[in-house]
Each structure stands twice: as structure tokens, then as C-alpha cells.
Amino acid sequence: MDKLVVRGGNPLTGSLTVSGSKNTALPLMSAALLTDGRVTLSNVPDLKDVQTFARVIEVTGTTIEHTPQQHLISLNAGSLTRIEAPYELVKRMRASFYMLGALLGRMGKARVSLPGGCAWGPRPVDLHIQGMKALGAEIDLHQGYVVASAPAGRLPGGRVTLDPSSVGATINIILAATLARGSSVIENAAIEPDVVHFCEMLQAMGARLNGVGTRTLEIEGVDRLDPVDFENCPDRIEMGTFMIAAAIAGRPGQAVEIHHGRADHLGSAFMEAFQRTGTRVEESDSLIRVIAPEELRPVSVTTDIYPGFPTDLQAQWTVLMARCAGNSKVYETVYPDRFKHIPELQRMGVNAIIVGDEVVIEGGKAIQGTHVMSTDLRASVSLVLAGMVAEGETHVLRVYHLDRGYERLEEKLSGAGIDIERVRYDEWADPS
Ligand code: EPZ
């Protein structure tokens, strides 16, 4: 098993490059199943989740050519025959549940395992199933699988209102609706950039979508979709993570450059809160320069759906607030119990206390390096951020969580001056 060893104290300098978006690459791969030709996706990040999803898709008979280092993946669902997504693969990654909409839309039937996904809280899929039923699917839950079928082999289409607005359910319902016999409407659709970019790919394939980027999405079913080569968008959460890293560990007054990101994908709430800390942001096409202030000001935030403050940056923000001279709160409204990183940060001396759905942070205390445990993707990266400014060494264990969503993080950070390395270790060895 691997861990990351970070020796704190080095400033973050120079530049960081943002990889392709994990949470957009996965829906784009799903869209490839809706046509019977070869689809090539570029700017696909070299991540565990992408590899896992490729294996899920190959179970259907779809052929895949994946060159991770070139950030390319080609999928040809002309050879799609099996309508299965098995538990032993789906349990590793929640987004595998997109197979339900893709197979139901393309083949008129699907047998997909209920998902697993990140550790925190229950991860329901009731909105996904409600949506498929609204489109006219017959759904049976049988031995941990969702068994779905369309009457006469093709969904009629229908109307569904999502409450709460769900990224995954929006994407899954769109996958099922684009090839339906009739029209569909999704009310309170998610409008995250991941969803918008996914819709743009479908439109390039010939899908008829109206209201992309708005809460009311209209989908007019078409008889077929054409293969397309399409470029994935940059990862907004990795970019936000790097911006926070620059505010935390950048030299005051000296710019850290972040390349290939899109600041507009982070939403107004994050950008406003980030600049209220006193950190300066200079944007120009795909370059963002972040200049840390002499003293960071505490800014309380509340997570929300886009364009609200991203829940995927909540853990990273807590570390930023720990560096401020003063108190602040982080209120999590999207997920219950997304605070698995707090006990680990407390072990590092961060004065953060969970009060219901809020974390109250008393900033300004020194952070001490120690051994800490990753628990989920964004929690683990917050431990790396803390280690960058901790006194001494921080060992971030079980870094496979981090490898799901951050490509070559230790290489990128060490290329920007941070003392960090990946070390293999035996979790059960005697620590003496
Ligand atoms: C996507 O998850 C992202 N994952 C998550 O990123 C992200 O945190 C989340 O959207 C919110 O932005 C991917 O895109 C692969 P939701 P998703 O459905 O689609 C509730 C990361 O770190 N809900 O928008 O699963 C749900 O419990 C990951 O990259 C239902 O109640 O999120 C949550 O409270 C973590 N019923 C809220 O909606 C459902 O059927 C939002 O979840 C579905 C969701």
C-alpha cells in the first residue's frame, strides 16, 4: 500500500497544471455507449476511477482502447451485447451507476448493481430510480440489483422533478432520455459544469436538448446518436484545491500559476469567498495566478449546489481556515456526515470542532506533522494540504483514496517546491 510523506515548511512556488475532470470524464464515457461507433475522448485524467469505469463498461462487450499517459480513451459500443454492470465492479465506484441510464437508453433494458462509493453517509439512488420510472421504465430491485426494462424495448419519455437537485440523477436520466421515443423534461436539474459539458457532447452526437445549464432541461428523444471525438473539460475541484494550496503555502505577494483550469467552473460563491480571505486572483484565458496575502482573513462558507460553494472543496477550505488568524465556520448542506477528515486534522493540532452539520474552526494554531489516515477522496487531499504547512513530517496513509481523483499529485506538488514523496509501506508491519 502507498502513503505520501510530506515534510512541511517549503513554500509553494512556480506553477501547477490542472488535469482533465474526473467527474466529467465518467459521464462522457457513459455517453459513448449510446452510439454504435467509435468515440474518442481526450484530456481524460489518468485516474483509478477512470480505469475502474473502463472495466465496468468492458463487461458489456464494448471495446475500449485506453492510453492513460496520453489522456485518451476510445470506446466502441458497436459490440455492446451484455446489459450487465456487476456488483464486484460497481461497488468500487458510485458513478458506475450511470450504466443504468446508458444501457436502458441504448438497449431498452439493464441489470445494474446498486452502487457503493465514498464512505461517508448513506449514498441513496432513489432519485435515479424515480427518474427512470418517470421515463416509463419498469424497475425491479432484485438481490441488490436494479433490473430495468423499457416497454416494447424503448422508453416513452416523461417528466421528473428532482428534489434535491442531484448531479448523478440528472446525468443518469439524460442518458436514458436522449434515445427515448418521446420527449422528457427534468425539473430542478443539476447545472454543474460537469453536466453542461456532458450535454454539449450529447448535442455534438445529435441529441436534442433545450435548456442546457438551466434548472429545466427538455430532451426530445431521437432515433440514433452519432459517434464523436470530444475533449473533456479541466477538473474544477483539482483547480480549486490548487488555488487553496497556493493561498495556504504560497509566498506572500508571489504568484503561483495554475494552468489549464477554468475559473468560471468553480462558481461565484467560491471565487468571492476565496478573494475575501485577502488572496488575490488574476485570470487570463486558461491561466490563473494566485497571490497569497501577508495574513489570511477567516471567511465562513456554506456548501451548496452549483453555483454555490462546492461540497468537494469543503475539507480543503477547512485547512485554509486553520491558517487564518481568527474563527470561522464551514456549513455542509449537500451531504450529511462529510467530516471524516476532521478527527485526522485534530490529530495534527487543527482546532476544528464538529457541531451538527457545521465545523467551527479556531485558526492560527501551529499544525504538527504526524501519521494520518485517508478516508475518502477530498478528505485525503486536505491532509496533504495540512502537511505542506505542518511542522515536521506528515504520513498520509491509504493514499489509494487520493489516487481516485488526483493525477500524479506528488509529482505536481514537488515540481512546485513541496517536499513530498510516495512511499510504499506495509500497514500491518510493527510500527516500532
Ligand atoms: C457527484 O456525486 C460527484 N461525483 C461528487 O463528487 C459531488 O460531491 C456531488 O456530485 C455533489 O456535487 C461524481 O460526479 C462522480 P448528488 P453524486 O447526486 O452525483 C442526494 C468527488 O469527490 N441524493 O448530486 O452522487 C445525495 O445523498 C465526488 O469527486 C439523493 O438523495 O451527488 C446528496 O445528499 C464525491 N438521492 C445530494 O443528493 C439520489 O438518488 C447530492 O448528491 C441521489 C442523490
Side-chain angles (χ1 to χ4, degrees), residues 22-24 26 94-95 98 118 120 122-129 163-169 171 192 194 236-237 305 311-312 333-336 338 377-378:
K22 164 180 84 84
N23 291 348
T24 316
L26 301 173
R94 173 180 174 80
Y98 291 153
C118 293
W120 74 89
R123 300 294 306 275
V125 287
D126 57 313
L127 294 173
H128 298 241
I129 291 168
D163 180 17
S165 177
S166 153
V167 170
I171 289 168
E192 272 69 1
D194 318 307
R236 64 197 185 98
I237 302 304
I305 59 176
T311 174
D312 292 350
T333 71
V334 176
Y335 286 107
R338 194 179 188 174
L377 170 52
R378 307 304 172 183

Side-chain angles (χ1 to χ4, degrees), residues 363-383:
K365 289 187 60 188
I367 297 178
Q368 308 295 329
T370 183
H371 282 62
V372 287
M373 192 70 78
S374 304
T375 51
D376 64 69
L377 170 52
R378 307 304 172 183
S380 46
V381 84
S382 73
L383 303 176

Side-chain angles (χ1 to χ4, degrees), residues 81-94:
T81 52
R82 289 188 64 197
I83 51 95
E84 298 267 332
Y87 171 68
E88 57 275 5
L89 284 173
V90 171
K91 72 179 180 183
R92 298 183 189 185
M93 189 191 63
R94 173 180 174 80

Side-chain angles (χ1 to χ4, degrees), residues 174 178 199 202-203 207-212 217-220:
I174 294 169
T178 46
C199 288
L202 288 172
Q203 287 174 316
R208 295 216 189 106
L209 308 175
N210 290 309
V212 172
L217 192 59
E218 297 168 355
I219 305 129
E220 186 186 330

Side-chain angles (χ1 to χ4, degrees), residues 157-316:
R159 174 185 288 269
V160 59
T161 298
L162 296 178
D163 180 17
S165 177
S166 153
V167 170
T170 300
I171 289 168
N172 226 345
I173 295 164
I174 294 169
L175 283 164
T178 46
L179 291 169
R181 197 183 310 280
S183 295
S184 304
V185 177
I186 304 175
E187 295 289 359
N188 202 26
I191 57 171
E192 272 69 1
D194 318 307
V195 178
V196 171
H197 202 69
F198 161 70
C199 288
E200 287 167 357
M201 175 177 165
L202 288 172
Q203 287 174 316
M205 295 170 72
R208 295 216 189 106
L209 308 175
N210 290 309
V212 172
T214 75
R215 294 279 176 212
T216 300
L217 192 59
E218 297 168 355
I219 305 129
E220 186 186 330
V222 294
D223 294 335
R224 59 165 286 106
L225 291 172
D226 298 319
V228 71
D229 292 348
F230 202 73
E231 180 174 347
N232 184 25
C233 65
D235 194 306
R236 64 197 185 98
I237 302 304
E238 185 186 29
M239 179 177 64
T241 303
F242 287 166
M243 292 173 70
I244 291 170
I248 290 173
R251 276 205 183 96
Q254 192 176 76
V256 173
E257 292 190 349
I258 299 171
H259 295 264
H260 295 177
R262 279 190 55 175
D264 61 315
H265 278 186
L266 276 171
S268 50
F270 173 84
M271 295 305 281
E272 284 159 20
F274 189 66
Q275 294 178 84
R276 279 173 44 213
T277 65
T279 308
R280 280 198 359 253
V281 178
E282 294 167 0
E283 295 173 46
S284 62
D285 40 25
S286 71
L287 168 64
I288 293 169
R289 293 160 50 86
V290 176
I291 300 109
E294 287 295 336
E295 184 170 284
L296 285 162
R297 291 194 296 266
V299 177
S300 295
V301 297
T302 298
T303 68
D304 202 348
I305 59 176
Y306 192 85
F309 190 100
T311 174
D312 292 350
L313 288 173
Q314 176 248 103
Q316 299 92 315

